[in-house]
Amino acid sequence: MPAFSLSIDAAQLLAQIHTLGAIGADESDGGRTRVAASDEDKLGRDQLVQWMRDLLLEVRVDRMGNIFGILRSPSDEGDRQPLMIGSHIDTVRNAGALDGSYGVLAGLAVVRAYRAAGVSPKRSIIVAAFTNEEGVRYQPDMTGSLVYAGGLPVEVALDLIGTDGTRLGDELARIGYAGDLEPGAILPREYLELHVEQGPILEAEGQLIGVVDNLQGISWQKITVRGVANHAGTTPTRMRHDAGYVAAAIITFLREIVVGAAPETTLATTGSIRFEPDVINVIPRLATFTVDLRDPNEQRLQSAERQLSDFLAEIAEREGVTIECERLARFEPVIFDAALAADIEASARGLGFSYRRMTSGAGHDAQMIARIAPAAMIFVPSRGGISHNPREHTDEAHLVCGAQVLLDVVQRRLAAD
Ligand code: GLV
Ligand code: MN
Ligand code: MN
């Protein structure tokens, strides 16, 4: 390890988390909403870019709106690839302050440690904020990092139409973040992402640091059921083609298969549903809803998808409705880089922090960047395992410990050159 000593400015990191968390604040309940490429996302981006400039970073924005703050190493030669630290600052609706933002701002805290010590890193360090990680407005999720890693052509991504009918490319241009850098232009030698766990495991086990060595597969579909609208008071049950009932039956079926599976690793969620005409005394003629399926094992994920598809065929026939499925996202499980995970573990141990190896249940940009560079993640505990909720919380001391691990891993990697 290097002779000089670097440290995280805890107060500054926590203050920035607080300031960014106040942007896009919801009217009540302490949440915030900065969905990708919205006006609120622009305000968050502007603040982030300002902080990058304050640290005298070179700021680049690519065609996907991904933002990069680059701390150049004077010893950088063309073939010395940078170390990248990244995450996202877009949010779900009515979100907590930490999901994504913590990782980006901890990246700035690492850079600030170098700046404060007057030390230049042996390789350049890039802090990245990727566009539309959450996938709330545009699907697939993790769009910016997916494109960056070559998993989707940029033109296709910019043409994505959002849930509000907007085109992603138009919205990025409108908010001033349609950059000119080609996605993927800067290939990192390694990628690190620090994130709140968003689940209950670390807290329940009294562990401080999660060394994340794999991430489960994700399957997103939109299902449209077309039945026949009819009178709620006059139509006998056996004569109904009730899109609402069929939607409910599908959701119930999903719960049954995941609970019945052994091991019980598959997760199924319907987070969005809409009926038409959506009135109390009319049998719905249309139901549209989403299905989010996840499993760390690709075969089990495929099995859940197959069971769903068989059930759709069966219930469509039985109820006299038609059912269409649209694929919104599909990502296989990812195994992170073993050497990088070992470095995270060594840093946690060296700092005297308790830790455990774990799987990420949430999707992350690291899962995409793992296609082009060794990647791994660091987790800190989430109180009560709550996330995607304004009540998301991690103790300040734990947030600082996570950033210290990140800084230590960065120093470890750069010292190894
Ligand atoms: C992102 O937060 C996801 O896992 O859906
Ligand atoms: Mn996140
Ligand atoms: Mn999230």
Side-chain angles (χ1 to χ4, degrees):
M1 297 292 279
F4 53 83
S5 110
L6 300 181
S7 60
I8 293 292
D9 181 339
Q12 185 73 349
L13 170 61
L14 298 171
Q16 290 195 339
I17 290 172
H18 185 76
T19 302
L20 184 55
I23 297 178
D26 298 327
E27 287 199 347
S28 57
D29 76 14
R32 72 278 303 140
T33 300
R34 296 192 309 270
V35 296
S38 62
D39 293 346
E40 295 76 18
D41 185 28
K42 174 193 164 43
L43 294 175
R45 286 165 175 265
D46 290 350
Q47 176 64 83
L48 176 65
V49 167
Q50 182 57 52
W51 285 331
M52 287 176 165
R53 294 201 198 289
D54 293 346
L55 286 166
L56 305 178
L57 303 187
E58 179 184 326
V59 178
R60 302 292 307 268
V61 179
D62 74 10
R63 294 174 62 204
M64 274 306 296
N66 298 320
I67 300 171
F68 304 96
I70 307 171
L71 174 62
R72 288 257 174 234
S73 165
S75 56
D76 227 349
E77 296 138 28
D79 59 348
R80 291 167 67 81
Q81 302 144 3
L83 180 149
M84 187 181 280
I85 300 167
S87 200
H88 61 98
I89 63 164
D90 69 310
T91 69
V92 294
R93 292 209 169 80
N94 199 219
L98 300 172
D99 179 357
S101 298
Y102 169 49
V104 175
L105 298 178
L108 291 190
V110 166
V111 166
R112 189 172 305 111
Y114 279 87
R115 286 291 190 223
V119 171
S120 294
K122 280 173 72 188
R123 285 191 279 128
S124 296
I125 300 175
I126 301 186
V127 179
F130 291 104
T131 295
N132 192 42
E133 190 272 352
E134 294 290 7
V136 167
R137 193 177 183 197
Y138 303 95
Q139 289 95 35
D141 51 346
M142 296 166 282
T143 328
S145 49
L146 175 66
V147 171
Y148 200 82
L152 185 70
V154 61
E155 292 76 12
V156 175
L158 294 176
D159 273 342
L160 287 173
I161 302 299
T163 48
D164 53 1
T166 55
R167 180 179 167 274
L168 176 54
D170 294 343
E171 286 293 276
L172 284 173
R174 186 183 68 78
I175 65 165
Y177 282 88
D180 54 4
L181 187 71
E182 212 46 54
I186 309 167
L187 184 66
R189 190 183 305 172
E190 65 275 270
Y191 175 87
L192 286 163
E193 185 163 350
L194 170 64
H195 208 283
V196 291
E197 180 197 342
Q198 308 181 272
I201 296 172
L202 289 173
E203 184 186 61
E205 295 188 359
Q207 307 277 8
L208 180 52
I209 298 295
V211 179
V212 186
D213 51 16
N214 68 321
L215 191 152
Q216 66 182 344
I218 302 176
S219 161
W220 279 6
Q221 299 179 65
K222 177 170 157 190
I223 299 189
T224 304
V225 182
R226 288 175 212 283
V228 178
N230 210 337
H231 197 291
T234 61
T235 317
T237 302
R238 64 186 161 73
M239 293 181 68
R240 293 181 180 215
H241 306 285
D242 182 342
Y245 162 71
V246 172
I250 295 166
I251 296 166
T252 306
F253 172 78
L254 283 169
R255 169 59 72 93
E256 280 161 7
I257 60 167
V258 301
V259 169
E264 233 180 68
T265 52
T266 311
L267 300 170
T269 305
T270 289
S272 169
I273 188 162
R274 196 166 55 85
F275 289 157
E276 283 181 23
D278 196 23
V279 285
I280 189 166
N281 56 356
V282 180
I283 297 165
R285 69 177 158 73
L286 189 88
T288 5
F289 59 101
T290 55
V291 172
D292 173 320
L293 286 173
R294 304 193 190 203
D295 198 299
N297 177 287
E298 174 63 19
Q299 276 65 46
R300 288 199 292 268
L301 187 55
Q302 285 181 17
S303 158
E305 290 175 319
R306 250 191 326 272
Q307 290 179 74
L308 170 61
S309 140
D310 291 349
F311 184 72
L312 295 183
E314 188 243 296
I315 195 163
E317 166 87 24
R318 176 157 37 99
E319 294 295 325
V321 298
T322 60
I323 302 182
E324 282 161 35
C325 290
E326 183 189 347
R327 164 76 64 207
L328 298 178
R330 181 64 163 87
F331 301 118
E332 289 190 9
V334 171
I335 309 280
F336 286 132
D337 184 70
L340 204 47
D343 278 347
I344 295 170
E345 188 172 301
S347 288
R349 192 180 323 111
L351 289 164
F353 299 154
S354 58
Y355 62 88
R356 78 176 325 264
R357 294 276 178 152
M358 62 193 302
T359 300
S360 171
H364 294 290
D365 295 304
Q367 157 185 19
M368 300 300 135
I369 301 301
R371 299 175 182 210
I372 54 168
M377 296 188 69
I378 306 162
F379 277 176
V380 291
S382 292
R383 186 174 67 196
I386 300 277
S387 187
H388 286 183
N389 182 321
R391 283 165 48 222
E392 175 184 80
H393 174 88
T394 297
D395 291 347
E396 290 186 346
H398 294 174
L399 292 172
V400 174
C401 291
Q404 285 166 343
V405 172
L406 179 66
L407 174 60
D408 196 75
V409 179
V410 168
Q411 289 179 273
R412 208 173 272 279
R413 298 300 289 196
L414 299 191
D417 284 349

